[in-house]
């Protein structure tokens, strides 16, 4: 019952936010709901509920392994949101708060969906709740970004629906019932018609890969992350992409059960490496530090998918990386949001010397940079090391080489841009614009807390999380 | 019964070509809405026994695809007060030829796919593939936001047609959820179209190039 509350509470909160009259008090609904959600999620992490095998919605081991991370990210972003919306008091926050809360409810539903059709509906609905968040700034550029997001995301999500139908037909053609629950499809196993399974795999990989932002389906990402408020970018990069990733993990398990696991793993490796390389190349070229975050996200989605293609150890590492990426990206998006607000511009041609204008945010941004490029002792270092180890143990030498090369170039690109912004003398507009943002506790503490979590996860990964990831791997690889 | 089914799908395939070849926005919207209505009737013909749920889904589909969505689009078009000529990236004749070639390829390609005997005799799969292909052409070949939305909807029609293969196994909840999502999606798109019009004074997506790298 508690697992349903994870969905119902945020959706009820969203309805309440839509009706709430007070413009100044409404943002407090965000941390209130976020707190209830986190308490529930971590309670369920410590005391996993029983899962009925044919349930459409359940807090199964995979949901348990990732949903608390998303919940934690939301709670911290919500705390930041209160201060952020106070700064942006010139715009009504009714739709913004309601959409953000609805997004949390749908994220919970997406992670818990054990039925392919239900999963599709929640993913599509997630896409739609993001729309008002993306054009919150109301500029022409923001509408352009939203339009691209709708068009690219909509086409992607249509492909995943087609893929879902193909998987259903694979079951039907193989003499099954066409039941779209993951449990039933895995039970049918080799009975699934193989050609249809492969068609479905390609379509679902394209569809959910578009949602994740894997290259070459990542084109919506730089625009969306560039134009949306930092907290929206953090929720998209840490939350929505995670749902698409777990969807791919669930589908991969079905394809594996149908006997085509080797093909699925190979495609995952190729598309993951391609994403890392493409992201690294764009990182070397971009001059906009908010678009930089998008390319960094493309890179990390690539790492997740590489992990997913490396068998049990790789999937374990990928689940670890979901946590470290989720929390580290939060730090980067929130501190970048502060810098953007203070500087009034977003490219390294217009912004420099932010270490003087916003010293605390700049320090967090630099720390976040080292964390996200997997420098020790931050969390991503340990999770990426695990992915690398899985690759080496699997004997994928060429893949390991390309992966390391991609990481190196991404590191060059990111450091070049971040230090161009932080170092040097402040430009005149930045000096005058700096007055708009006071570095209060409300905008500094949340990214700092996320950085702390990321550090802690790397240095002392709690045993309960390790067990949760192991249980999720056991769910995804039931055969051996 | 198969004859009627094939007739309706054949009609939908013809409407695909009409949408590709027409230069005026209202006729694209009309082609899309007639196609939606024709496809909405199919569950009534495919289901062996008619219980009230099948009838309800069919009625809702016809109402949404045939009336609600086209009406939303027409309203967006009027609100945006745009000229009705559709300006293409790819000309009308080339896209028509491309669509015709795609339809032929869909009919030929569907033979290569493994189909259950009860589906092999129908145009379900070729019709679905042809509509998806047509939708994709409209999405990339047209500049006006509303024609791109029409392309998206024709693609959705194709996917819906494909989904009818599973009509005996997919629970109605999923189908109605999908339909609801599409409607809400179009509603949201309508709002965005309106905002783009206000922000750019045009619905020409070629003006949406500020964010190009």
């Amino acid at each position: 019952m508690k697992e349903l509350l994870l969905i119902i509470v945020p959706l009820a909160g969203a309805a309440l936010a839509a009706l709430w009259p007070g413009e100044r008090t409404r943002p407090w609904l965000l941390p209130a709901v976020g707190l209830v959600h986190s308490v529930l999620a971590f309670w369920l992490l410590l005391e996993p509920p029983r899962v009925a095998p044919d349930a459409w919605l359940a807090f199964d081991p995979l949901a348990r392994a990732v949903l608390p991370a998303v919940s934690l990210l939301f709670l911290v972003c919500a705390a930041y949101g209160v201060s952020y919306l106070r700064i942006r008091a010139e715009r009504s926050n009714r739709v913004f708060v309601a959409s953000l809360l609805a997004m949390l409810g749908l994220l919970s539903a997406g992670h818990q969906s054990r039925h392919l059709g239900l999963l599709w509906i929640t993913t599509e609905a997630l896409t739609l709740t993001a729309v008002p968040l993306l054009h919150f700034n109301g500029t022409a550029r923001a509408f352009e970004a939203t339009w691209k997001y709708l068009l690219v995301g909509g086409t992607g999500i249509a492909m995943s629906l087609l893929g879902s139908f193909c998987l259903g037909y694979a079951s039907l053609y193989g003499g099954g019932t066409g039941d779209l629950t993951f449990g039933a499809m895995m039970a049918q196993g080799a009975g699934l018609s193989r050609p249809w399974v492969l068609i479905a795999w390609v379509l679902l990989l394209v569809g959910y890969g578009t949602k994740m932002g894997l290259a070459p389906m990542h084109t919506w990402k730089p625009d969306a992350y560039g134009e949306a408020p930092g907290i929206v970018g953090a929720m998209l990069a840490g939350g929505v992409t995670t749902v698409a990733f777990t969807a791919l993990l669930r589908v991969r398990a079905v394809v594996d059960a149908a006997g085509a696991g080797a093909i699925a793993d190979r495609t995952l490796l190729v598309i993951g490496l391609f994403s890392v390389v493409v992201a690294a190349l764009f990182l070397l070229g971009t001059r906009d530090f908010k678009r930089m975050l998008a390319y960094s996200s493309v890179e990390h989605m690539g790492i997740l998918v590489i992990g997913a293609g490396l068998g049990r150890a790789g999937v374990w590492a990928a689940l670890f990386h979901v946590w470290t990426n989720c929390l580290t990206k939060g730090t980067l998006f929130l501190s970048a949001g502060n810098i953007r607000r203070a500087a009034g511009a977003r490219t390294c041609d217009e912004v420099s010397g932010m270490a003087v204008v916003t010293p605390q945010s700049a320090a967090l941004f630099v720390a976040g940079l080292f964390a996200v490029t997997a420098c020790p002792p931050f969390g991503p270092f340990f999770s990426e090391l695990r992915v690398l180890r899985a690759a080496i143990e699997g004997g994928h030498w060429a893949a390991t080489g390309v992966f390391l090369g991609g990481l190196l170039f991404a590191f060059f690109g990111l450091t070049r841009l971040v230090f161009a912004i932080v170092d040097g003398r402040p430009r005149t507009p930045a000096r005058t614009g700096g007055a708009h943002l006071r570095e209060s506790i409300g905008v500094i503490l949340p990214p700092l807390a996320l950085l702390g979590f990321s550090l802690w996860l790397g240095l002392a990964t709690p045993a309960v999380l390790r067990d949760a990831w192991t249980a999720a791997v056991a769910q995804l690889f039931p055969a051996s | 019964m198969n004859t009627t089914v094939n007739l309706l799908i054949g009609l939908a395939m013809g409407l695909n070509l009409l949408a590709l070849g027409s230069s005026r926005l209202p006729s694209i919207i009309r082609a899309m809405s007639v196609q939606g209505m024709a496809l909405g009737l199919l569950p009534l013909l495919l289901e062996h026994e008619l219980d009230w749920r099948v009838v309800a889904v069919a009625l809702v589909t016809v109402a949404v695809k045939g009336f609600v969505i086209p009406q939303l689009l027409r309203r967006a078009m009027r609100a945006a007060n745009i000229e009705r000529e559709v300006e293409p990236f790819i000309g009308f004749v080339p896209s028509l030829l491309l669509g015709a070639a795609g339809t032929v390829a869909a009919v030929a390609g569907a033979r290569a796919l493994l189909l259950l005997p009860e589906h092999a005799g129908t145009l379900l799969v070729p019709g679905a593939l042809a509509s998806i292909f047509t939708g994709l052409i409209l999405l990339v070949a047209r500049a006006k936001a509303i024609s791109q939305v029409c392309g998206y909807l024709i693609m959705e029609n194709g996917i819906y047609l494909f989904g009818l293969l599973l009509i005996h196994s997919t629970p109605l909840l999923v189908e109605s959820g999908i339909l609801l999502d599409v409607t809400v999606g179009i509603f949201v798109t309508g709002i965005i179209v309106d905002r783009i019009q206000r922000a750019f004074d045009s619905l020409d997506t070629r003006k949406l190039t500020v964010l190009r790298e």
Side-chain angles (χ1 to χ4, degrees):
Chain A
M1 193 56 220
K2 285 200 284 291
E3 57 266 32
L4 283 182
L5 284 179
L6 284 174
I7 303 168
I8 296 167
V9 168
L11 291 182
L16 187 62
L19 299 171
W20 196 272
E23 196 70 28
R24 283 183 63 84
T25 43
R26 195 183 298 119
W28 285 102
L29 283 170
L30 290 173
V33 172
L35 189 65
V36 174
H37 192 272
S38 286
V39 168
L40 282 170
F42 280 88
W43 188 357
L44 285 166
L45 175 66
L46 296 174
E47 281 177 33
R50 269 170 37 83
V51 177
D54 57 346
W56 281 28
L57 268 175
F59 199 76
D60 62 5
L62 185 57
R64 183 170 167 252
V66 288
L67 187 54
V70 178
S71 181
L72 189 60
L73 175 69
F74 183 87
L75 178 61
V76 178
C77 286
Y80 181 90
V82 174
S83 310
Y84 174 75
L85 289 171
R86 192 173 299 143
I87 300 171
R88 303 298 309 274
E90 81 278 7
R91 298 192 75 83
S92 165
N93 59 38
R94 185 186 299 269
V95 178
F96 188 84
V97 173
S99 301
L100 211 51
L101 289 172
M103 181 180 260
L104 177 65
L106 290 166
L107 284 171
S108 306
H111 280 301
Q112 297 190 63
S113 291
R114 292 163 57 87
H115 183 284
L116 200 53
L118 191 62
L119 179 63
W120 184 84
I121 292 174
T122 45
T123 317
E124 165 84 3
L126 260 178
T127 309
L128 296 176
T129 54
V131 167
L133 300 174
L134 284 174
H135 66 66
F136 178 66
N137 286 326
T139 58
R141 295 168 63 101
F143 286 118
E144 179 180 340
T146 314
W147 181 248
K148 280 192 187 161
Y149 173 77
L150 265 177
L151 222 56
V152 179
T155 312
I157 210 77
M159 289 300 129
S160 57
L161 178 60
L162 190 59
S164 307
F165 286 149
C166 287
L167 207 47
Y169 202 69
S171 157
L172 215 55
Y173 192 80
T177 56
D179 185 350
L180 287 176
T181 52
F182 290 106
M185 287 190 288
M186 283 172 77
Q188 198 181 344
L192 295 166
S193 152
R194 202 176 149 109
W196 280 105
V197 167
L198 291 178
I199 296 174
W201 170 245
V202 171
L203 290 167
L204 286 162
L205 187 62
V206 169
Y208 287 110
T210 311
K211 267 291 36 100
M212 266 182 95
L214 293 169
M217 295 87 78
H218 68 286
T219 46
W220 59 273
K221 231 175 189 179
D223 298 338
Y225 290 6
E227 301 307 321
I231 130 178
V232 175
M235 282 318 295
L236 283 177
V240 178
T241 52
T242 311
V243 170
F245 177 61
T246 51
L248 280 182
L249 283 180
R250 286 181 197 274
V251 173
R252 201 213 75 95
V254 173
V255 176
D256 194 18
I263 299 174
D265 286 348
R266 205 167 310 140
T267 47
L268 283 171
L269 264 183
V270 169
I271 200 168
L273 287 170
F274 185 67
S275 296
V276 170
V277 171
V278 166
L281 293 177
F282 274 103
L283 279 172
L284 286 171
T286 187
R287 307 185 69 74
D288 178 326
F289 65 86
K290 285 191 84 175
R291 293 173 78 91
M292 170 195 93
L293 297 180
Y295 292 120
S296 165
S297 174
V298 174
E299 180 204 344
H300 285 269
M301 292 304 121
I303 296 173
L304 287 181
V305 169
I306 291 172
L310 290 172
R312 302 173 73 100
V315 171
W316 197 93
L319 292 170
F320 185 7
H321 195 66
V322 164
W323 279 73
T324 57
N325 173 55
C326 191
L327 301 174
T328 314
K329 275 284 150 48
T331 308
L332 272 176
F333 271 99
L334 298 185
S335 54
N338 288 348
I339 293 176
R340 157 83 183 80
R341 195 125 285 285
R346 315 181 315 183
T347 63
C348 60
D349 303 317
E350 303 158 282
V351 183
S352 69
M354 293 314 286
V356 179
V357 182
T358 52
Q360 298 168 30
S361 302
L364 279 167
F365 198 43
V366 172
L369 157 81
F370 285 121
V372 86
T373 50
C375 294
F378 293 102
F381 170 73
F382 295 97
S383 53
E384 286 180 29
L385 199 62
R386 291 266 183 176
V387 175
L388 207 59
R389 211 170 81 182
I392 293 171
E393 279 168 3
H396 301 277
W397 294 105
T400 310
V402 176
F403 180 45
L404 282 174
L407 290 186
L408 187 68
F409 281 108
F411 177 73
F412 289 150
L414 281 160
T415 40
R416 174 191 61 95
L417 190 54
V418 167
F419 283 108
I421 284 156
V422 169
D423 266 349
R425 281 160 47 122
R427 308 272 166 101
T428 338
R431 278 193 217 121
T432 49
H436 292 308
L437 183 104
R438 222 167 43 83
E439 291 196 299
S440 60
I441 290 179
V443 297
I444 294 299
L445 203 57
L448 184 65
L450 287 171
L451 192 69
F453 284 129
S454 163
L455 198 61
W456 178 48
L457 270 181
L459 294 177
T461 321
V464 59
L465 286 182
R466 292 169 177 274
D467 293 345
W469 299 329
T470 310
V473 171
Q475 179 196 337
L476 293 170
F477 295 84
S480 40
Chain B
M1 191 177 67
N2 262 351
T3 334
T4 331
V5 170
N6 282 346
L7 210 63
L8 282 174
I9 299 176
L11 173 70
M13 288 162 95
L15 288 165
N16 282 337
L17 298 179
L18 198 67
L20 280 176
S22 102
S23 66
R24 286 167 52 81
L25 211 43
S27 33
I28 297 187
I29 296 181
R30 199 172 312 123
M32 180 206 79
S33 81
V34 174
Q35 188 182 56
M37 281 192 272
L39 299 185
L41 292 175
L42 286 179
L44 297 176
L45 298 167
L46 288 170
E47 202 59 277
H48 300 308
E49 51 204 274
L50 286 180
D51 66 354
W52 64 272
R53 290 181 307 180
V54 179
V55 177
V57 166
L59 284 181
V60 172
T61 312
V62 169
V64 170
K65 284 184 187 278
F67 298 99
V68 177
I69 292 177
Q71 209 49 46
L72 283 170
L73 285 178
R74 287 199 192 98
R75 216 178 56 189
M77 192 177 72
R78 266 198 303 276
N81 194 23
I82 49 175
E83 334 90 76
R84 308 198 157 192
E85 295 298 314
V86 185
E87 297 157 47
F89 285 125
I90 302 176
F92 301 110
V93 176
S95 34
L96 196 57
L97 289 176
L98 207 58
T103 308
V104 172
V107 175
R111 280 171 208 272
L113 287 172
L114 301 169
L115 292 174
L116 290 171
E118 70 254 40
H119 298 137
T122 66
L123 282 173
L124 272 176
V125 176
L129 295 179
S131 302
I132 293 167
F133 188 62
T134 306
L136 283 174
I137 297 178
L138 280 176
L139 262 176
V140 294
R142 297 291 179 266
K144 286 274 167 62
I146 292 183
S147 4
Q148 291 178 332
V149 175
C150 288
Y152 180 74
L153 284 165
I154 289 177
M155 189 171 74
E156 279 282 356
N157 278 347
I159 294 172
Y160 164 87
L161 202 50
F162 194 88
L164 290 179
L165 292 175
L166 299 172
I167 190 164
H168 300 298
S169 50
T170 315
L172 287 170
L173 177 66
V174 177
E175 285 187 23
S176 22
I178 291 165
L179 204 59
L180 184 74
D181 265 347
V182 172
T183 321
V184 178
I186 294 306
F187 188 66
V188 173
T189 316
I191 297 173
I192 293 291
V193 164
D194 178 47
R195 299 281 169 86
I196 289 180
Q197 163 69 20
R198 275 193 231 160
F200 290 90
D201 275 330
S202 159
L203 268 185
D204 192 334
T205 48
R206 277 176 297 187
K207 295 210 173 147
L208 299 183
T209 50
V210 191
L211 296 179
R212 194 161 281 175
E213 268 186 316

